[in-house]
Amino acid sequence: MQDTAPTAGGVSKQKARVSRLMVSPSVLLLLLWMVVPLSMTIYFSLIRYNLLYPGENEYVGLENFRFFVTDLGFMAGMTNTLLLVGSVLLITVVFGVLISLLINLAFWGQGIVRILLISPFFIMPTVNALVWKNLLLHPVSGVFAAIWQFFGAQPIDWFSEFPLFSIIMIVSWQWLPFAILLLMTALQSLDQEQQEAARLDGAGPWALFWHLTLPHLARPIAVVVMIETIFLLSLFAEIFTTTGGGPGYETTNLAYLIYSQALLQFDVGLASAGGLIAVILANIAAFFLVRVVGKSLTDKQ
Amino acid sequence: MAATKVTIGTVNNGDMIRMQGLSDAFEAEYPNIDLDWVVLEENVLRQRLTTDIATGGGQFDVMTIGMYEAPIWGEKGWLTVMDDLPEDYDKEDIFPSVLGGLSKNGKLYALPFYAESSMTYYRKDLFEKNGLTMPAQPTWEQMKSFAKTLHKPDEGQYGVCLRGKAGWGENMALITTIANAFGARWFDEEWKPEFTGPEWKDALTFYVDLLGNYGPPGASSNGFNENLALFNSGKCGLWVDATVAGAFVTDESQSKVADKVGFALAPSQKTDKGAGWLWSWALAIPVSSDAKEAAKTFITWATSKQYSALVAETTGIATTPPGTRASTYDNAEYLAAAPFAAKTLESMDRADPNDATLKPAPYVGVQFAAIPEFQAIATQVGKLFSGALAGSMSTEQALMGAQSITTREMTRARYYSK
C-alpha cells in the first residue's frame, strides 16, 4: 500500500495537470468571452460617450452612474421590475399548482387539454404581445372590447388604464405553461402508495395536499422560481411591442430603461452605467435565489 | 457587370411606400442599379439610421431624414454634400425655405422628397349637420367647442383625433405647435427650459383636456398613421396633422370620407406664430456609403419632376409628392385635383423656423429645436406627456419631470458651464 500510494498520487497529479492543460483553452476563451464585454462596459460607463457627439469621449468618473440613479425613470424602473417579476412568479406558481393538480386527474381528452395548456410557451414573445395588443386588448377592435360592448359596458383601454397589469397578464399567460409543464411532470412521480396509506390513516384531501403533495412539489417550484426570475428580470419584447415603456414610466423596467438610453437617446455611457447596475442587482437576486433553491434541494435529501 | 446595390432606409408613410412600389420603373431605366428597401416605422427608422451613421456602419446608401437631422448631421460631416446636380433637375424650382431647412452654412445635404406643414382637417358634413362653421384659422378654444359638439362615442364618432404616441417626431411635434400657439417656447435665451412657466402649463393642460375628453380611446398610442386610419374610417370630427395627409384623406380608394373633408389652417391661440410646423422628408447619402454614385442617381430620380410626373400618371395627379416644387403648384390640373393644395402652400408659407415663438428663442425650428440634444430630451418629455394624457400622472408632474429632464440633459451637454 505504501509504495503504491505515492505513484498513484503522482499519476493523478500528472493526470490532473494534463487535463488542466487540455481544458485551459476553452476556459480562457470563456474568460475572454466574459471579460472583454464586461471591461468594455466598465470603460464606457466611465467616459462621456454619446453617439451624437463622436470624438468627445473624455473621462467623467462616476457621472454616468450618478445620472443613471437620478434618472426619473430609475425608481420607476426598479419598482416595475420587482412588481413584474414578483406578480408573474406568484401567478404562475399558484395557478400552475392548481391547474397541474386538476389535469393530473384522469379525464376524457386529457392529452389535448395538456397540449393546449402548454402551447402558449412555444409562441414567440413578440408574437404573443402583438396578439394580445391587437386582437384581444385593443379598445376599439379587440375581442375584450367586443365582449364588454355585448354586455353594454364601456370597453377598457387596457394599455393606458392598466398598463402594468396588462403586461403582467401577457407575460403570465406566456410563462404559466412552463410552470404547469414542470409541476405536472413532478406530480406524475408522486408516490401513490404513500398517498394510499395516508388516506387509510384518515387524511382528508386538504391534509394530503398540504403534507404530501406540496412538499413533493417544493423542488420543482424552486426551479420554476429560479428560471423564471432569470428570464423575467430581462423582460423586454413584450414591453417594447405593446406600450414602449409608457405611458409615462408606468411599464418601464430596468431592461427597457437601458434600451431607451442606449438606442433612443444614444447615450452609450449612461446605458453602460445602467447595465452595470442591473448586473449588480441581478447578482444580488441570484445570490439569494441560489441559497433558497439550494436549501430546498439539499433539505429533501 | 454586377449591378450596384443601393440600400434605402425609409419611413412607412404612404408616399414612401408608393416610391417603393415605383422602384421597378427606376430599375428598368437603370438596369445596373438594384434597389434594396428597408421600410420602418418613424421612431424605429430614426434609431436605426442614427446608430448606423454615428458609428459609421455603412449599412445604408440612402437615408430618409428630415429637417432636424440634415443640418446637424451635415455639419458633423456625416452626409455627402448635394452639389453637381444634373441640369434637368431644376433646383431653382424647389422652395427656398425647404432647401434652407436641409442646408447648413450654404451647403445642401439632402434632397427633399416631400415637404409639409400642419393643418386642420374637419368633416364638412358633420359641421353642416350641427350648424358649425370652420373659420379660415380656428383658435384651439374654438376647436374644443367643435370637438365637444361632434363627440359621440356611442356612435363610434370622436370629436378630435390628435397625436398621442410618445416620440419627438410624434406627439411632441404636435404639442410643440400647440405650445407655440399658447405663447410658450422650449428654451429661453439662456437655454433654460421653460416648462414650469404658465404658457406650457396652459398648453399641456389644454391638450390633455381636449384629447382626453373628446378623443378616441387609446389616444396615447396613436401616431400619424393611426390617426389617419381613424379619420379615413370616419371616426374623427377634427384632426390636426401634417398637410401631406391631404392626399390620403381625399383618396377614395382608402378614405370613406374622401368627399367630406374640409381644410383650415392649424389652430392659433395667443399667437399664430409657430402654429403650423415645417418639415421635409428628404433623401441623403451618408459618407459611409460605398455606392454614392448609384445612390445619387436614385435620389435625384426620386425627387425630380420626372418622378412627380410618373406618380401623376400611375396613381393620379393629386398624389404628387407635395410641398417641394413651385412647378407643382403652378400646375392648374394639380390645383384642381388636390383641394388641399392651396392650404398646404399657405401653411408652408406661414411656418418660419427662424421665428416660431412669441418670445424670442435661441434655437431654429418650429416643432423642434435644431440642437443634437433635442432628440434625447424630447423623446423623454414625449413619454411624460403621453403619461399625462393617459392619466398615469398629472400635468403638473409631467411638466416638472420635463423641466428636470431637460435641465439634466442640457447640463450633461455642458450648456451651462459655470
Side-chain angles (χ1 to χ4, degrees):
Chain A
M1 283 301 246
Q2 256 184 351
D3 37 13
T4 50
T7 29
V11 166
S12 71
K13 216 181 249 173
Q14 207 176 356
K15 251 191 186 164
R17 199 181 303 141
V18 170
S19 54
R20 233 186 330 224
L21 216 72
M22 302 291 268
V23 296
S24 57
S26 42
V27 170
L28 234 120
L29 201 68
L30 274 175
L31 208 67
L32 278 178
W33 196 266
M34 205 191 81
V35 166
V36 170
L38 185 67
S39 39
M40 277 177 75
T41 314
I42 295 175
Y43 170 66
F44 288 155
S45 72
L46 297 175
I47 59 171
R48 178 163 180 244
Y49 186 6
N50 190 313
L51 285 181
L52 298 174
Y53 318 99
E56 297 174 29
N57 300 339
E58 79 266 33
Y59 171 79
V60 291
L62 296 179
E63 189 193 270
N64 285 323
F65 290 90
R66 185 162 58 82
F67 274 104
F68 187 82
V69 294
T70 52
D71 191 301
L72 268 188
F74 178 69
M75 273 323 284
M78 288 282 284
T79 339
N80 288 335
T81 308
L82 290 179
L83 276 176
L84 260 172
V85 177
S87 32
V88 174
L89 279 180
L90 194 74
I91 292 172
T92 49
V93 168
V94 171
F95 285 93
V97 170
L98 294 179
I99 293 177
S100 49
L101 278 176
L102 270 180
I103 57 169
N104 197 39
L105 308 169
F107 61 92
W108 189 82
Q110 196 180 33
I112 289 188
V113 169
R114 282 182 184 178
I115 290 170
L116 284 178
L117 274 172
I118 289 162
S119 48
F121 194 55
F122 301 106
I123 295 174
M124 276 186 271
T126 326
V127 177
N128 169 19
L130 276 177
V131 167
W132 277 83
K133 182 189 182 184
N134 295 325
L135 295 180
L136 296 173
L137 299 182
H138 197 280
V140 178
S141 54
V143 172
F144 284 23
I147 297 174
W148 258 246
Q149 257 157 357
F150 179 79
F151 289 106
Q154 184 70 25
I156 297 174
D157 181 8
W158 290 90
F159 287 113
S160 56
E161 283 172 47
F162 309 104
L164 191 64
F165 178 74
S166 309
I167 303 266
I168 290 174
M169 202 153 63
I170 296 173
V171 178
S172 306
W173 183 79
Q174 174 119 52
W175 280 92
L176 185 57
F178 174 74
I180 295 177
L181 187 69
L182 282 193
L183 297 173
M184 194 175 69
T185 12
L187 277 180
Q188 282 162 358
S189 68
L190 192 61
D191 192 341
Q192 291 304 319
E193 281 177 27
Q194 203 179 22
Q195 293 250 339
E196 208 52 46
R199 216 169 281 141
L200 284 177
D201 286 342
W206 175 246
L208 278 179
F209 172 74
W210 191 250
H211 294 289
L212 285 178
T213 317
L214 209 54
H216 179 77
L217 288 181
R219 245 190 267 182
I221 287 176
V223 173
V224 167
V225 168
M226 186 159 85
I227 292 181
E228 282 193 10
T229 311
I230 293 167
F231 281 91
L232 294 177
L233 275 174
S234 59
L235 198 74
F236 178 77
E238 287 85 349
I239 296 175
F240 177 77
T241 334
T242 54
T243 60
Y249 288 105
E250 294 280 295
T251 54
T252 300
N253 67 354
L254 277 184
Y256 193 86
L257 187 66
I258 293 165
Y259 155 79
S260 112
Q261 282 165 344
L263 289 169
L264 296 180
Q265 299 163 38
F266 308 105
D267 197 332
V268 181
L270 195 62
S272 303
L276 289 176
I277 290 176
V279 167
I280 294 168
L281 291 176
N283 272 302
I284 295 174
F287 176 75
F288 285 110
L289 274 174
V290 167
R291 282 187 64 162
V292 171
V293 174
K295 199 160 173 277
S296 95
L297 290 183
T298 45
D299 272 0
K300 299 292 170 305
Q301 296 300 344
Chain B
M1 199 185 81
T4 319
K5 197 171 92 170
V6 173
T7 308
I8 304 156
T10 196
V11 61
N12 66 349
N13 290 354
D15 284 288
M16 282 73 168
I17 296 191
R18 188 175 296 129
M19 164 166 70
Q20 186 187 9
L22 292 172
S23 59
D24 285 346
F26 175 81
E27 285 172 330
E29 200 174 329
Y30 301 94
N32 55 353
I33 299 178
D34 259 350
L35 300 180
D36 182 20
W37 292 87
V38 181
V39 183
L40 297 164
E41 190 243 346
E42 189 171 327
N43 284 344
V44 183
L45 175 84
R46 288 228 167 82
Q47 173 196 327
R48 287 278 299 277
L49 295 186
T50 312
T51 41
D52 186 64
I53 201 160
T55 56
Q59 203 183 345
F60 296 96
D61 300 307
V62 173
M63 292 185 162
T64 306
I65 57 173
M67 282 196 178
Y68 171 73
E69 292 93 350
I72 296 177
W73 293 5
E75 197 179 23
K76 286 189 190 295
W78 292 348
L79 299 174
T80 317
V81 181
M82 289 294 151
D83 43 16
D84 303 323
L85 296 167
E87 272 298 296
D88 60 348
Y89 185 71
D90 198 2
K91 192 171 140 188
E92 309 305 314
D93 187 32
I94 300 174
F95 293 125
S97 62
V98 175
L99 285 180
L102 299 169
S103 307
K104 181 88 190 187
N105 304 329
K107 286 185 194 138
L108 181 63
Y109 289 105
L111 298 181
F113 181 65
Y114 71 69
E116 60 180 33
S117 179
S118 55
M119 63 179 174
T120 307
Y121 298 87
Y122 66 100
R123 289 276 301 281
K124 283 191 288 191
D125 56 328
L126 298 179
F127 265 61
E128 215 164 285
K129 207 169 90 185
N130 292 283
L132 303 172
T133 30
M134 175 63 85
Q137 180 169 35
T139 63
W140 278 107
E141 211 52 58
Q142 284 173 316
M143 292 288 281
K144 189 170 167 180
S145 74
F146 296 151
K148 209 182 257 176
T149 316
L150 299 179
H151 190 59
K152 294 179 178 108
D154 299 339
E155 301 164 24
Q157 177 191 315
Y158 306 103
V160 60
C161 297
L162 294 173
R163 296 185 184 191
K165 187 193 216 168
W168 73 264
E170 290 280 8
N171 65 348
M172 288 318 291
L174 178 86
I175 295 176
T176 306
T177 60
I178 298 180
N180 288 340
F182 275 76
R185 56 185 173 173
W186 269 87
F187 299 103
D188 68 7
E189 291 92 331
E190 321 266 64
W191 288 104
K192 295 267 187 334
E194 289 204 314
F195 289 106
T196 40
E199 294 92 354
W200 267 105
K201 186 173 180 331
D202 290 348
L204 186 68
T205 316
F206 179 86
Y207 163 81
V208 169
D209 176 46
L210 176 67
L211 189 55
N213 290 327
Y214 312 115
S220 62
S221 50
N222 291 346
F224 172 76
N225 285 325
E226 289 84 355
N227 283 322
L228 176 63
L230 282 169
F231 193 86
N232 276 350
S233 57
K235 289 190 191 298
C236 312
L238 297 161
W239 181 31
V240 180
D241 213 304
T243 50
V244 72
F248 303 115
V249 295
T250 53
D251 174 3
E252 273 167 33
S253 69
Q254 51 176 310
S255 169
K256 274 198 203 165
V257 294
D259 53 341
K260 303 187 183 96
V261 189
F263 310 93
L265 292 173
S268 65
Q269 184 70 15
K270 260 191 193 165
T271 173
D272 62 352
K273 265 190 182 182
W277 67 60
L278 183 66
W279 184 254
S280 167
W281 278 115
L283 301 172
I285 307 169
V287 290
S288 53
S289 159
D290 53 6
K292 291 199 190 65
E293 271 313 305
K296 195 164 169 187
T297 311
F298 171 73
I299 70 171
T300 44
W301 174 82
T303 58
S304 65
K305 286 179 181 169
Q306 179 202 350
Y307 174 80
S308 298
L310 179 68
V311 173
E313 203 179 294
T314 37
T315 49
I317 192 155
T319 58
T320 311
T324 55
R325 288 178 171 272
S327 59
T328 314
Y329 294 88
D330 292 340
N331 186 341
E333 211 183 318
Y334 176 71
L335 292 182
F340 49 86
K343 277 282 182 284
T344 301
L345 199 59
E346 193 184 345
S347 303
M348 287 190 59
D349 274 345
R350 282 165 171 256
D352 181 1
N354 292 304
D355 182 23
T357 49
L358 192 58
K359 292 188 223 164
Y363 56 87
V364 175
V366 181
Q367 81 284 22
F368 57 85
I371 51 171
E373 296 77 20
F374 182 78
Q375 195 168 348
I377 294 173
T379 299
Q380 300 178 69
V381 173
K383 218 171 159 180
L384 292 176
F385 287 1
S386 81
L389 175 63
S392 66
M393 61 177 84
S394 68
T395 51
E396 282 78 19
Q397 280 172 311
L399 286 168
M400 296 266 283
Q403 179 79 9
S404 88
I405 285 171
T406 315
T407 314
R408 259 167 65 95
E409 293 293 333
M410 296 301 272
T411 313
R412 267 172 74 76
R414 314 285 191 267
Y415 269 78
Y416 319 119
S417 44
K418 279 113 219 171

Short mmCIF file of all heavy atoms in Angstrom, two decimals, chain A residues 24-58:
data_model
loop_
_atom_site.label_atom_id
_atom_site.label_comp_id
_atom_site.label_asym_id
_atom_site.label_seq_id
_atom_site.Cartn_x
_atom_site.Cartn_y
_atom_site.Cartn_z
N SER A 24 -7.70 24.23 -20.54
CA SER A 24 -7.38 25.65 -20.42
C SER A 24 -7.78 26.50 -21.64
O SER A 24 -8.25 27.62 -21.45
CB SER A 24 -5.91 25.84 -20.10
OG SER A 24 -5.14 25.21 -21.08
N PRO A 25 -7.65 26.00 -22.89
CA PRO A 25 -8.07 26.88 -23.99
C PRO A 25 -9.53 27.28 -23.89
O PRO A 25 -9.87 28.46 -24.06
CB PRO A 25 -7.84 26.03 -25.24
CG PRO A 25 -6.89 24.99 -24.84
CD PRO A 25 -7.11 24.73 -23.40
N SER A 26 -10.38 26.31 -23.56
CA SER A 26 -11.80 26.67 -23.50
C SER A 26 -12.09 27.58 -22.32
O SER A 26 -12.91 28.50 -22.42
CB SER A 26 -12.67 25.41 -23.45
OG SER A 26 -12.10 24.48 -22.58
N VAL A 27 -11.39 27.32 -21.21
CA VAL A 27 -11.60 28.20 -20.06
C VAL A 27 -11.15 29.61 -20.41
O VAL A 27 -11.84 30.60 -20.14
CB VAL A 27 -10.83 27.69 -18.83
CG1 VAL A 27 -10.85 28.73 -17.71
CG2 VAL A 27 -11.42 26.39 -18.34
N LEU A 28 -10.02 29.71 -21.09
CA LEU A 28 -9.51 31.01 -21.49
C LEU A 28 -10.48 31.72 -22.41
O LEU A 28 -10.76 32.91 -22.26
CB LEU A 28 -8.17 30.83 -22.20
CG LEU A 28 -7.07 31.68 -21.58
CD1 LEU A 28 -5.96 30.79 -21.08
CD2 LEU A 28 -6.56 32.68 -22.59
N LEU A 29 -11.01 30.94 -23.35
CA LEU A 29 -11.95 31.51 -24.32
C LEU A 29 -13.19 32.03 -23.60
O LEU A 29 -13.65 33.14 -23.83
CB LEU A 29 -12.34 30.43 -25.33
CG LEU A 29 -12.88 30.97 -26.65
CD1 LEU A 29 -11.78 31.67 -27.42
CD2 LEU A 29 -13.48 29.86 -27.47
N LEU A 30 -13.68 31.19 -22.66
CA LEU A 30 -14.86 31.59 -21.89
C LEU A 30 -14.58 32.85 -21.10
O LEU A 30 -15.41 33.75 -21.02
CB LEU A 30 -15.26 30.46 -20.94
CG LEU A 30 -16.18 29.41 -21.54
CD1 LEU A 30 -16.41 28.29 -20.54
CD2 LEU A 30 -17.49 30.03 -21.95
N LEU A 31 -13.38 32.90 -20.54
CA LEU A 31 -13.00 34.04 -19.73
C LEU A 31 -12.99 35.31 -20.59
O LEU A 31 -13.53 36.34 -20.21
CB LEU A 31 -11.62 33.79 -19.13
CG LEU A 31 -11.37 34.49 -17.81
CD1 LEU A 31 -12.27 33.91 -16.73
CD2 LEU A 31 -9.91 34.39 -17.41
N LEU A 32 -12.35 35.18 -21.77
CA LEU A 32 -12.31 36.32 -22.69
C LEU A 32 -13.72 36.75 -23.05
O LEU A 32 -14.08 37.92 -23.06
CB LEU A 32 -11.57 35.94 -23.96
CG LEU A 32 -10.05 36.01 -23.91
CD1 LEU A 32 -9.47 35.55 -25.24
CD2 LEU A 32 -9.62 37.44 -23.61
N TRP A 33 -14.51 35.73 -23.34
CA TRP A 33 -15.90 35.91 -23.75
C TRP A 33 -16.63 36.78 -22.73
O TRP A 33 -17.47 37.58 -23.05
CB TRP A 33 -16.52 34.51 -23.80
CG TRP A 33 -17.80 34.41 -24.52
CD1 TRP A 33 -19.06 34.49 -24.00
CD2 TRP A 33 -17.98 34.17 -25.91
NE1 TRP A 33 -19.99 34.32 -24.97
CE2 TRP A 33 -19.36 34.14 -26.15
CE3 TRP A 33 -17.09 34.01 -26.98
CZ2 TRP A 33 -19.89 33.92 -27.42
CZ3 TRP A 33 -17.61 33.80 -28.24
CH2 TRP A 33 -18.99 33.74 -28.45
N MET A 34 -16.30 36.58 -21.44
CA MET A 34 -16.98 37.29 -20.39
C MET A 34 -16.26 38.59 -20.05
O MET A 34 -16.87 39.62 -19.86
CB MET A 34 -17.01 36.39 -19.15
CG MET A 34 -18.12 36.68 -18.22
SD MET A 34 -17.83 35.79 -16.69
CE MET A 34 -16.68 36.87 -15.90
N VAL A 35 -14.93 38.51 -20.01
CA VAL A 35 -14.17 39.66 -19.50
C VAL A 35 -14.17 40.81 -20.50
O VAL A 35 -14.31 41.97 -20.12
CB VAL A 35 -12.73 39.23 -19.17
CG1 VAL A 35 -11.85 40.44 -18.97
CG2 VAL A 35 -12.71 38.36 -17.94
N VAL A 36 -14.05 40.50 -21.79
CA VAL A 36 -13.95 41.58 -22.77
C VAL A 36 -15.19 42.46 -22.77
O VAL A 36 -15.09 43.68 -22.58
CB VAL A 36 -13.60 41.03 -24.16
CG1 VAL A 36 -13.74 42.10 -25.22
CG2 VAL A 36 -12.19 40.46 -24.16
N PRO A 37 -16.39 41.87 -22.94
CA PRO A 37 -17.55 42.75 -22.91
C PRO A 37 -17.72 43.47 -21.59
O PRO A 37 -18.06 44.66 -21.55
CB PRO A 37 -18.74 41.82 -23.13
CG PRO A 37 -18.18 40.54 -23.56
CD PRO A 37 -16.76 40.47 -23.17
N LEU A 38 -17.42 42.77 -20.50
CA LEU A 38 -17.60 43.39 -19.18
C LEU A 38 -16.66 44.58 -19.03
O LEU A 38 -17.07 45.67 -18.62
CB LEU A 38 -17.36 42.37 -18.07
CG LEU A 38 -17.64 42.91 -16.68
CD1 LEU A 38 -19.12 43.20 -16.50
CD2 LEU A 38 -17.16 41.94 -15.60
N SER A 39 -15.39 44.39 -19.42
CA SER A 39 -14.47 45.51 -19.22
C SER A 39 -14.78 46.64 -20.18
O SER A 39 -14.59 47.81 -19.85
CB SER A 39 -13.01 45.06 -19.33
OG SER A 39 -12.88 44.13 -20.35
N MET A 40 -15.30 46.30 -21.38
CA MET A 40 -15.70 47.38 -22.29
C MET A 40 -16.84 48.17 -21.69
O MET A 40 -16.86 49.40 -21.75
CB MET A 40 -16.10 46.81 -23.64
CG MET A 40 -14.92 46.55 -24.54
SD MET A 40 -15.42 45.79 -26.08
CE MET A 40 -16.14 47.17 -26.92
N THR A 41 -17.80 47.44 -21.09
CA THR A 41 -18.93 48.15 -20.46
C THR A 41 -18.44 49.04 -19.34
O THR A 41 -18.87 50.19 -19.21
CB THR A 41 -19.94 47.13 -19.92
OG1 THR A 41 -20.18 46.15 -20.92
CG2 THR A 41 -21.24 47.80 -19.58
N ILE A 42 -17.50 48.52 -18.54
CA ILE A 42 -16.97 49.35 -17.45
C ILE A 42 -16.28 50.59 -18.01
O ILE A 42 -16.51 51.70 -17.55
CB ILE A 42 -16.00 48.53 -16.57
CG1 ILE A 42 -16.77 47.41 -15.86
CG2 ILE A 42 -15.30 49.42 -15.55
CD1 ILE A 42 -15.91 46.47 -15.05
N TYR A 43 -15.51 50.38 -19.08
CA TYR A 43 -14.82 51.51 -19.70
C TYR A 43 -15.82 52.54 -20.21
O TYR A 43 -15.71 53.74 -19.92
CB TYR A 43 -13.93 50.99 -20.83
CG TYR A 43 -13.35 52.06 -21.70
CD1 TYR A 43 -12.43 52.97 -21.19
CD2 TYR A 43 -13.73 52.18 -23.03
CE1 TYR A 43 -11.90 53.97 -21.98
CE2 TYR A 43 -13.21 53.18 -23.84
CZ TYR A 43 -12.30 54.08 -23.31
OH TYR A 43 -11.80 55.07 -24.10
N PHE A 44 -16.84 52.07 -20.95
CA PHE A 44 -17.84 53.00 -21.50
C PHE A 44 -18.55 53.76 -20.40
O PHE A 44 -18.92 54.92 -20.56
CB PHE A 44 -18.89 52.25 -22.32
CG PHE A 44 -18.38 51.74 -23.63
CD1 PHE A 44 -18.98 50.65 -24.23
CD2 PHE A 44 -17.31 52.34 -24.26
CE1 PHE A 44 -18.52 50.17 -25.45
CE2 PHE A 44 -16.83 51.87 -25.47
CZ PHE A 44 -17.44 50.77 -26.07
N SER A 45 -18.75 53.07 -19.25
CA SER A 45 -19.54 53.71 -18.20
C SER A 45 -18.75 54.83 -17.52
O SER A 45 -19.33 55.62 -16.80
CB SER A 45 -19.98 52.68 -17.17
OG SER A 45 -18.87 52.28 -16.41
N LEU A 46 -17.46 54.87 -17.77
CA LEU A 46 -16.66 55.91 -17.11
C LEU A 46 -16.33 57.09 -18.02
O LEU A 46 -15.70 58.05 -17.60
CB LEU A 46 -15.35 55.31 -16.57
CG LEU A 46 -15.53 54.23 -15.50
CD1 LEU A 46 -14.19 53.62 -15.13
CD2 LEU A 46 -16.20 54.80 -14.26
N ILE A 47 -16.72 56.98 -19.30
CA ILE A 47 -16.45 58.11 -20.19
C ILE A 47 -17.75 58.73 -20.65
O ILE A 47 -18.82 58.15 -20.51
CB ILE A 47 -15.63 57.68 -21.42
CG1 ILE A 47 -16.39 56.62 -22.23
CG2 ILE A 47 -14.25 57.21 -21.03
CD1 ILE A 47 -15.76 56.30 -23.56
N ARG A 48 -17.64 59.92 -21.20
CA ARG A 48 -18.79 60.55 -21.82
C ARG A 48 -18.86 59.99 -23.23
O ARG A 48 -17.99 60.24 -24.05
CB ARG A 48 -18.58 62.06 -21.86
CG ARG A 48 -19.68 62.81 -22.53
CD ARG A 48 -19.60 64.29 -22.15
NE ARG A 48 -20.69 65.00 -22.81
CZ ARG A 48 -20.48 65.94 -23.73
NH1 ARG A 48 -19.28 66.31 -24.06
NH2 ARG A 48 -21.51 66.53 -24.29
N TYR A 49 -19.88 59.19 -23.50
CA TYR A 49 -19.93 58.53 -24.80
C TYR A 49 -21.35 58.64 -25.33
O TYR A 49 -22.22 57.85 -25.01
CB TYR A 49 -19.50 57.06 -24.65
CG TYR A 49 -19.38 56.29 -25.94
CD1 TYR A 49 -19.51 56.91 -27.17
CD2 TYR A 49 -19.13 54.93 -25.94
CE1 TYR A 49 -19.40 56.21 -28.35
CE2 TYR A 49 -19.02 54.21 -27.11
CZ TYR A 49 -19.16 54.86 -28.31
OH TYR A 49 -19.06 54.15 -29.49
N ASN A 50 -21.58 59.67 -26.13
CA ASN A 50 -22.87 59.83 -26.76
C ASN A 50 -22.66 59.72 -28.26
O ASN A 50 -21.79 60.39 -28.82
CB ASN A 50 -23.44 61.21 -26.40
CG ASN A 50 -24.89 61.34 -26.82
OD1 ASN A 50 -25.23 61.00 -27.96
ND2 ASN A 50 -25.72 61.82 -25.94
N LEU A 51 -23.44 58.86 -28.91
CA LEU A 51 -23.26 58.63 -30.35
C LEU A 51 -23.38 59.91 -31.16
O LEU A 51 -22.82 60.02 -32.24
CB LEU A 51 -24.30 57.63 -30.84
CG LEU A 51 -24.06 56.17 -30.47
CD1 LEU A 51 -25.15 55.31 -31.06
CD2 LEU A 51 -22.71 55.72 -31.02
N LEU A 52 -24.12 60.88 -30.61
CA LEU A 52 -24.33 62.09 -31.38
C LEU A 52 -23.17 63.07 -31.30
O LEU A 52 -23.11 64.03 -32.04
CB LEU A 52 -25.62 62.77 -30.94
CG LEU A 52 -26.88 61.91 -31.16
CD1 LEU A 52 -28.08 62.59 -30.57
CD2 LEU A 52 -27.10 61.66 -32.64
N TYR A 53 -22.26 62.83 -30.36
CA TYR A 53 -21.07 63.70 -30.31
C TYR A 53 -19.83 62.85 -30.44
O TYR A 53 -19.14 62.60 -29.44
CB TYR A 53 -20.97 64.48 -29.00
CG TYR A 53 -22.25 65.04 -28.52
CD1 TYR A 53 -22.97 64.38 -27.53
CD2 TYR A 53 -22.75 66.22 -29.05
CE1 TYR A 53 -24.17 64.90 -27.08
CE2 TYR A 53 -23.95 66.72 -28.60
CZ TYR A 53 -24.64 66.06 -27.63
OH TYR A 53 -25.82 66.56 -27.19
N PRO A 54 -19.53 62.35 -31.61
CA PRO A 54 -18.37 61.49 -31.74
C PRO A 54 -17.10 62.29 -31.43
O PRO A 54 -17.02 63.48 -31.72
CB PRO A 54 -18.41 61.07 -33.21
CG PRO A 54 -19.24 62.08 -33.89
CD PRO A 54 -20.19 62.63 -32.88
N GLY A 55 -16.15 61.61 -30.81
CA GLY A 55 -14.87 62.25 -30.56
C GLY A 55 -14.80 63.00 -29.25
O GLY A 55 -13.74 63.36 -28.79
N GLU A 56 -15.97 63.21 -28.60
CA GLU A 56 -15.92 63.93 -27.32
C GLU A 56 -16.04 62.93 -26.18
O GLU A 56 -17.03 62.89 -25.48
CB GLU A 56 -17.06 64.95 -27.23
CG GLU A 56 -16.97 66.02 -28.29
CD GLU A 56 -18.18 66.93 -28.27
OE1 GLU A 56 -18.78 67.12 -27.20
OE2 GLU A 56 -18.53 67.45 -29.34
N ASN A 57 -15.03 62.07 -26.04
CA ASN A 57 -15.15 60.98 -25.08
C ASN A 57 -14.27 61.17 -23.87
O ASN A 57 -13.47 60.31 -23.54
CB ASN A 57 -14.81 59.64 -25.75
CG ASN A 57 -15.72 59.34 -26.90
OD1 ASN A 57 -16.81 59.88 -26.99
ND2 ASN A 57 -15.28 58.50 -27.81
N GLU A 58 -14.38 62.31 -23.20
CA GLU A 58 -13.50 62.50 -22.06
C GLU A 58 -13.96 61.66 -20.86
O GLU A 58 -15.12 61.25 -20.78
CB GLU A 58 -13.36 63.98 -21.68
CG GLU A 58 -14.51 64.56 -20.89
CD GLU A 58 -15.52 65.24 -21.80
OE1 GLU A 58 -15.72 64.77 -22.95
OE2 GLU A 58 -16.14 66.23 -21.38
#
